[in-house]
Amino acid sequence: MTARTPSAAKPRSVLATLLVRHDTVVSTHTLIDELWGAEPPRTATTTLQVYVSQLRKALLADTGEAAAETGPVQPLLTRAPGYLMQTAPEELDLAVFESLRAEGRAAYGRREYEAASRALSRALGLWTGPALSGIPHGPSLETSAIRLNELRAEVLEQRISAELRLGRHHELVGELMALAHEHPLRETLRCHLMVALYRAGRQSDALQVYHRARRSLVDELGVEPGPVLSRLHERVLAADPSLAWHGESEPRPVPAGGSDDRPSHPPAGGGAGGSARYGRDAGPTVWLPPAVADFTGREDQLALGERLLAGDPSGGNRVLVLSGRAGAGKTALAVRLAHNAADRFPDGRVLVRLRNADGRAVEPRAAMAALLRRLSGPRATGTDPGTEPLPPSETELAELLHERTKGRAMLLVLDDAVSEAQVRPVLSAVPDSTVVLTSRHMLGALESVRHLTLDVLPAREAEALLTACGGPRMRDAPEAAGEIARLCGRLPLALRVAAAGLAARPHWTAAGLARRLRDERTRLAALALGDLDVRGTLLTAYHDMDEEARRAFRILGPAALPDFAPWTATALLATDPVEAERLTEELVRAHLLEARRRPGRLAPVRYSFPALLRPLALEVLAEESPQEGPSAVERLCRAFLALARHADARMAPGRERLAYEAGPPPGISPEEVVGNAPLRWFQEECAGLSEAVRQAHAAGLWRLCCSLASAAAGYYEAGALWDAWEATHDLALDAARRSGDVHAEAVILRSLGDLAWQRHRTALATERYRLARQLFLRHGDEVAAGRCLSAEADALLALGQVARAGPAYARALSVSRPADDARGSAESLRGLALVAQCEGRHEDALARMEECESAARSADDHRWTAYASRTASALRIALAAGGPAGEPSVPLEVRPGVWLFQPSGPVGQAA
């Protein structure tokens, strides 16, 4: 970029952090942690904003005439939960380096070594010193510097490997000697130097390089040289002719820099005197990564996997599919199974990855070629003069692989399969082998296979993994470890990253780490350390899907927690129920959604996001489809509103609720979804309904927010859900006032008055009722204002002020009767009956309650009808037992299900 670099250290650190993670949102939490560590000042957020402002000014400085004509473009943007630095590919040396590195690796893989050398040399030419030198390093920049310096070393090693293949060993000797002195523990550089010296006719010097390398490793690390360096030493000692320069057909002396498919043990039969053709080796072939040292838990899955691998061999091709979401530990389990099964597979155990370095699926032909190279040892590269080249066609490769594995007790691990089509040709070529497939997909279309699905770890195993990886600070804080495990969704990868992050920062505590993970918006950003990035791993599963499925994943992000019914997907995806089910089930198969059976519920199957995937869905929705998010939230809220209004109308006809002109989204039928079970619908969707109110408020959908809260109020009251009632209505009251909607404010205040009355906060209830009545009158709604009078009278009655309550009920009735408001009349008549009962006028109380029952029946309100009926029956019994002059012997049920117990003495007549 052409911007001027700031001179102050902390702004430079902010700029470096944003550039290293260019075109990616960097959270405010990450930047604060980078600048101040575990103890930021109270003004950290404000100070960071000042630094960002300074950087924005610097980035717009000296932009030239073009910017003056078109207007400057600010590359540093604010994006929740932090900031985003946008760069063009050619503006940033880091981006150019990564592009040239990828270009060079691809050319190397095609054996175009001249092109590889040019691209990799250009990439190295961009460096002027160690990564991020001259910039103070916090935890993020420290890990980035380590990663970038390692990438630089990898590119250097691969460039040298390409030039060795081009016969430039003489020119490389001096450079390699200097590099080996500078990096004495990098075995790949020692290998390259030995090969260059050997080809230059300096065999003894090449052997000296090995002995110096061995001495350094033993003295400094206490370990012997690795298998590649040791095997090369043997070949130099034996004067292996294949090490000599043979022109353009030169074989690869060591694995290319950056390869991670190296065997954990050197394959047998691969020495200088062994067969180099693709025939059968005499000994076993073992090409597995090391087993994870702190592998924790999964005992049941290991036992089941071992039983499946030990199945009847006469059954032909034995295939075990390990499937599960990204980060579930499928590869770790497969490798552990392979290491444990050495005695059952004496002819070999080989792992081949089915994705390339860029995460793309390899073709079946490439997978079979990789298997053949593994099975024939490290010299079988296809370019050695004594090695038979691999055939070009998939059919010939399959025939050769079949011949190579026929009759041999071998275990093949095909890691990270993308689809059934990718693995079918490979499986058909190895009918005598046992195969373990790992995949993020179910691969349910494969025939005659056994399936083992990995879920997240149980709570105890998750905490054990945290303790194993996080050390004493995690072990000594069991409560924090339990919270971290829960916030990580007990996903093994997330647990490892969290524990490693704690171990890498001695100044952190487990409780502090848990605090950083609590915010869902920044949780994924906190779960990154070096090249361990939970977000990146989860994104690979997302990118595996086609665009239609990716859009469905994004749009379903606003779905309610903890789970949602199929109608939610119909509303969010703006499609019909059949298509919505197809898309959600596709996401379930890819482990991007979970499906749970809920027998006995209105929706017998409910969906939910696996842990950490909902924040990812919301993140990619904001990044890739920002215009679709608000409309999706509106559709969801409209669906909730239509269903809640329908259910509430079935439970309490005539109850005051806010109108909303827009109907439900297409495909949503309240009659079908709610049916004849409004109470069950509310019970099943209560959490989602409250979440919809919050989402509507956050999206600025003020009228929807108010209408949703109003539609839920009746259920909150009937279920005594005081906290949900208060939380949703506080948001709705704020929404009404922001939008200037007087009528909505009055309705919400009336409901909040009912809540205060239920909680025995009578003074607050009276205040809210009076304010609501004033707003209703201002709006011209005299009927609703009359109902507020009945509510005020209820508050007076609760205070024992019966003499004042009676006239208030009478005034309310004088409003509701002329307006034919049956529900309001029922409430007022019920109040007059209560007053009469309190004053010992049982005949009047019974008459009024019978009128109340008639009015409730006219309103078609079954709940109030039943209430009036049972209260009238109780009065009749009291009259029969005590006579009209007796003291009241029945406690007052002042509203349906709400009782007021009177003292045993004379009924209060307080004014």
Side-chain angles (χ1 to χ4, degrees):
M1 300 180 70
T2 60
R4 298 173 298 182
T5 302
S7 57
K10 281 186 165 42
R12 284 208 315 275
S13 295
V14 174
L15 178 61
T17 304
L18 293 168
L19 288 174
V20 165
R21 299 170 66 173
H22 61 98
D23 299 312
T24 301
V25 176
V26 181
S27 69
T28 301
H29 161 78
T30 298
L31 291 169
I32 290 174
D33 193 42
E34 180 65 28
L35 295 175
W36 293 286
E39 297 181 356
R42 293 182 179 179
T43 59
T45 301
T46 303
T47 306
L48 175 61
Q49 291 169 351
V50 172
Y51 294 156
V52 170
S53 177
Q54 294 172 355
L55 289 175
R56 284 174 169 157
K57 291 178 182 177
L59 290 167
L60 288 180
D62 302 327
T63 53
E65 295 181 2
E69 293 178 5
T70 61
V73 176
Q74 175 58 255
L76 179 48
L77 308 176
T78 300
R79 290 285 186 273
Y83 301 97
L84 170 71
M85 179 70 79
Q86 290 184 330
T87 63
E90 70 281 357
E91 284 187 299
L92 189 64
D93 282 352
L94 174 57
V96 176
F97 169 76
E98 290 172 338
S99 175
L100 288 170
R101 171 177 172 265
E103 179 184 335
R105 285 170 62 87
Y108 192 100
R110 298 190 301 269
R111 299 176 184 170
E112 297 172 3
Y113 302 119
E114 184 65 47
S117 173
R118 286 197 304 270
L120 297 172
S121 296
R122 288 173 58 202
L124 293 168
L126 297 168
W127 288 74
T128 59
L132 302 173
S133 58
I135 297 174
H137 290 182
S140 178
L141 286 181
E142 181 66 28
T143 55
S144 294
I146 293 170
R147 180 181 69 85
L148 292 173
N149 285 324
E150 182 62 27
L151 287 179
R152 180 189 187 187
E154 172 203 306
V155 169
L156 177 63
E157 290 170 352
Q158 193 164 35
R159 191 219 84 204
I160 292 170
S161 180
E163 294 185 355
L164 280 173
R165 293 174 176 278
L166 294 168
R168 299 172 184 169
H169 37 274
H170 288 288
E171 297 94 324
L172 289 168
V173 167
E175 180 185 3
L176 281 167
M177 283 184 170
L179 289 170
H181 178 75
E182 184 180 354
H183 306 285
L185 302 181
R186 291 194 75 92
E187 295 188 38
T188 301
L189 290 174
R190 300 278 191 171
C191 288
H192 287 330
L193 178 55
M194 289 173 66
V195 171
L197 288 168
Y198 181 83
R199 291 177 180 171
R202 300 167 61 178
Q203 181 182 20
S204 60
D205 288 339
L207 293 173
Q208 282 297 322
V209 170
Y210 172 80
H211 290 299
R212 284 195 296 270
R214 180 181 180 277
R215 188 162 53 250
S216 295
L217 291 166
V218 171
D219 290 348
E220 296 193 31
L221 302 179
V223 298
E224 291 288 336
V228 175
L229 184 56
S230 299
R231 181 72 195 101
L232 181 59
H233 175 237
E234 295 173 7
R235 295 175 69 189
V236 172
L237 274 174
D240 187 343
S242 70
L243 281 178
W245 169 243
H246 296 286
E248 292 187 0
S249 296
E250 165 56 19
R252 180 169 56 190
V254 293
S259 171
D260 58 359
D261 285 342
R262 299 177 181 175
S264 57
H265 308 288
S275 171
R277 298 182 64 80
Y278 286 98
R280 204 174 286 179
D281 289 336
T285 300
V286 180
W287 200 295
L288 295 171
V292 177
D294 49 13
F295 188 93
T296 304
R298 299 291 195 203
E299 286 86 359
D300 293 341
Q301 290 86 351
L302 272 172
L304 179 57
E306 289 172 356
R307 287 198 301 272
L308 294 175
L309 292 182
D312 180 10
S314 63
N317 190 11
R318 296 197 300 272
V319 181
L320 171 63
V321 178
L322 295 179
S323 62
R325 71 192 66 168
K330 303 177 292 296
T331 301
L333 181 64
V335 170
R336 177 56 63 104
L337 284 170
H339 279 285
N340 291 351
D343 57 337
R344 289 198 294 275
F345 301 101
D347 291 326
R349 292 157 290 137
V350 175
L351 180 143
V352 168
R353 290 182 171 87
L354 299 183
R355 294 178 189 262
N356 60 22
D358 297 324
R360 297 187 179 90
V362 302
E363 297 294 326
R365 176 188 176 283
M368 288 188 279
L371 271 173
L372 283 167
R373 285 193 288 270
R374 299 284 189 273
L375 295 173
S376 297
R379 295 178 66 241
T381 63
T383 56
D384 193 324
T387 301
E388 184 177 273
L390 287 171
S393 73
E394 183 176 307
T395 301
E396 291 174 301
L397 281 169
E399 292 173 354
L400 187 56
L401 184 58
H402 177 73
E403 177 187 346
R404 186 71 179 80
T405 58
K406 184 177 180 181
R408 302 185 70 186
M410 300 196 70
L411 174 63
L412 307 179
V413 180
L414 304 181
D415 186 40
D416 212 358
V418 173
S419 66
E420 294 90 342
Q422 183 192 31
V423 297
R424 273 201 182 96
V426 185
L427 295 179
S428 63
V430 290
D432 292 347
S433 299
T434 296
V435 179
V436 175
L437 274 170
T438 72
S439 178
R440 295 169 190 148
H441 304 272
M442 298 291 290
L443 301 184
L446 291 177
E447 303 83 6
S448 303
V449 302
R450 299 171 173 87
H451 290 275
L452 178 56
T453 301
L454 293 190
D455 202 347
V456 297
L457 292 171
R460 183 175 298 177
E461 292 183 6
E463 293 172 24
L465 179 58
L466 281 174
T467 300
C469 299
R473 281 175 293 154
M474 193 72 79
R475 183 183 62 247
D476 295 341
E479 290 186 6
E483 183 180 5
I484 293 168
R486 178 180 60 79
L487 293 172
C488 290
R490 308 198 307 276
L491 187 69
L493 175 63
L495 295 168
R496 286 188 176 278
V497 173
L502 180 65
R505 299 176 175 94
H507 54 290
W508 279 22
T509 63
L513 175 59
R515 185 174 61 254
R516 286 174 167 84
L517 294 174
R518 283 174 193 151
D519 189 345
E520 185 183 53
R521 297 169 299 175
T522 59
R523 190 174 303 156
L524 287 174
L527 290 172
L529 182 69
D531 61 350
L532 291 175
D533 183 5
V534 173
R535 180 183 184 275
T537 300
L538 298 178
L539 274 176
T540 58
Y542 167 73
H543 288 303
D544 277 348
M545 310 299 292
D546 59 30
E547 174 51 33
E548 184 182 42
R550 289 200 300 272
R551 178 185 178 275
F553 175 76
R554 296 192 300 267
I555 301 299
L556 288 174
L561 295 173
D563 55 20
F564 58 91
W567 63 262
T568 300
T570 301
L572 283 169
L573 298 175
T575 186
D576 60 83
V578 174
E579 178 66 7
E581 182 183 35
R582 183 187 71 80
L583 290 169
T584 50
E585 288 298 326
E586 185 174 349
L587 295 174
V588 169
R589 286 192 295 274
H591 295 283
L592 293 173
L593 278 182
E594 290 179 333
R596 304 284 186 186
R597 284 188 55 79
R598 295 288 188 265
R601 291 199 174 188
L602 293 175
V605 175
R606 295 183 71 86
Y607 299 97
S608 63
F609 279 97
L612 304 177
L613 281 175
R614 184 175 189 254
L616 181 69
L618 294 172
E619 189 176 311
V620 293
L621 176 62
E623 290 177 359
E624 300 179 20
S625 307
Q627 72 286 352
E628 289 195 275
S631 57
V633 169
E634 182 178 13
R635 288 195 301 273
L636 176 64
C637 292
R638 280 170 48 206
F640 261 115
L641 177 59
L643 297 171
R645 285 175 61 85
H646 178 81
D648 189 50
R650 296 294 302 271
M651 289 176 56
R655 196 180 65 80
E656 177 71 30
R657 61 181 74 86
L658 286 169
Y660 191 79
E661 61 276 7
I668 302 296
S669 169
E671 291 76 13
E672 293 181 8
V673 174
V674 177
N676 294 318
L679 180 59
R680 282 178 57 198
W681 184 86
F682 271 120
Q683 290 169 340
E684 293 176 13
E685 303 294 349
C686 180
L689 185 55
S690 299
E691 175 70 14
V693 174
R694 286 189 286 271
Q695 290 195 49
H697 184 273
L701 302 171
W702 307 129
R703 295 195 61 196
L704 258 178
C705 178
C706 296
S707 298
L708 278 165
S710 173
Y715 172 68
Y716 292 149
E717 181 175 16
L721 302 175
W722 311 144
D723 292 340
W725 191 351
E726 182 173 34
T728 56
H729 279 59
D730 282 348
L731 291 174
L733 184 61
D734 178 70
R737 287 171 174 169
R738 287 188 183 215
S739 62
D741 190 333
V742 173
H743 182 249
E745 183 180 357
V747 171
I748 298 301
L749 276 171
R750 160 67 200 264
S751 183
L752 285 171
D754 289 341
L755 172 61
W757 182 81
Q758 292 275 14
R759 286 177 154 178
H760 306 291
R761 300 171 183 173
T762 311
L764 178 61
T766 302
E767 178 186 346
R768 286 173 169 172
Y769 288 143
R770 286 175 179 169
L771 181 56
R773 179 161 57 88
Q774 292 168 6
L775 291 172
F776 278 128
L777 289 173
R778 187 194 307 174
H779 184 67
D781 190 345
E782 294 187 4
V783 170
R787 293 188 184 184
C788 288
L789 273 173
S790 285
E792 289 181 58
D794 285 347
L796 293 171
L797 192 65
L799 292 171
Q801 299 180 21
V802 179
R804 294 181 59 191
Y809 286 126
R811 286 174 58 200
L813 184 61
S814 69
V815 173
S816 59
R817 268 187 169 164
D820 292 328
D821 177 20
R823 174 63 184 267
S825 297
E827 291 181 3
S828 303
L829 288 164
R830 172 255 347 179
L832 291 170
L834 295 174
V835 169
Q837 186 178 350
C838 289
E839 293 176 345
R841 296 181 287 106
H842 295 298
E843 291 87 351
D844 290 344
L846 177 58
R848 290 296 192 181
M849 194 57 71
E850 288 173 342
E851 289 184 78
C852 172
E853 181 179 355
S854 177
R857 204 178 302 279
S858 298
D860 198 26
D861 190 327
H862 304 294
R863 187 162 171 255
W864 271 75
T865 301
Y867 156 72
S869 176
R870 65 175 173 266
T871 305
S873 297
L875 285 167
R876 292 188 192 98
I877 294 172
L879 282 170
E887 295 293 336
S889 58
V890 181
L892 299 181
E893 186 180 1
V894 291
R895 292 183 186 176
V898 182
W899 297 80
L900 176 64
F901 289 87
Q902 296 293 323
S904 57
V907 178
Q909 302 288 327

